[in-house]
Amino acid sequence: MNLFQLLRKKKELIPLVLMMTTAAGGASAFAVYSLQKTDVIIDRKKNPEPWETVDPNVPSKLITINQEWKPIEELQKVRRATK
């Protein structure tokens, strides 16, 4: 039985099919978008050691190398007041 014939007979499946199609399309689009980012490396033949070309000044997604910590003045005032 064809999918369209099944949907004609059982109209309650139409929202389910639309939602599943939308979810699969969104997941596929996000996967393609993520693979186009510069921090995702697919081809290991051209760049076998990609960690050597990481710029420490550019923040990564999970870790920031050489991050400078600066105290927040408002937080310092609250800490002094509560001591």
Side-chain angles (χ1 to χ4, degrees), residues 14-40:
I14 293 174
L16 178 65
V17 170
L18 289 176
M19 294 302 262
M20 293 301 293
T21 304
T22 303
S28 300
F30 182 73
V32 170
Y33 171 76
S34 295
L35 290 175
Q36 291 176 351
K37 293 285 192 176
T38 58
D39 57 347
V40 177

Side-chain angles (χ1 to χ4, degrees), residues 32-65:
V32 170
Y33 171 76
S34 295
L35 290 175
Q36 291 176 351
K37 293 285 192 176
T38 58
D39 57 347
V40 177
I41 298 164
I42 299 173
D43 188 12
R44 294 197 52 148
K45 292 181 182 177
K46 292 181 183 176
N47 192 4
E49 297 174 346
W51 54 86
E52 292 182 358
T53 60
V54 174
D55 185 13
N57 297 324
V58 177
S60 300
K61 287 184 177 180
L62 298 176
I63 188 170
T64 303
I65 301 171

Side-chain angles (χ1 to χ4, degrees), residues 69-82:
W69 182 80
K70 296 177 185 175
I72 302 170
E73 292 297 325
E74 295 171 355
L75 182 61
Q76 296 299 324
K77 289 178 184 177
V78 170
R79 285 184 181 167
R80 286 185 207 126
T82 57

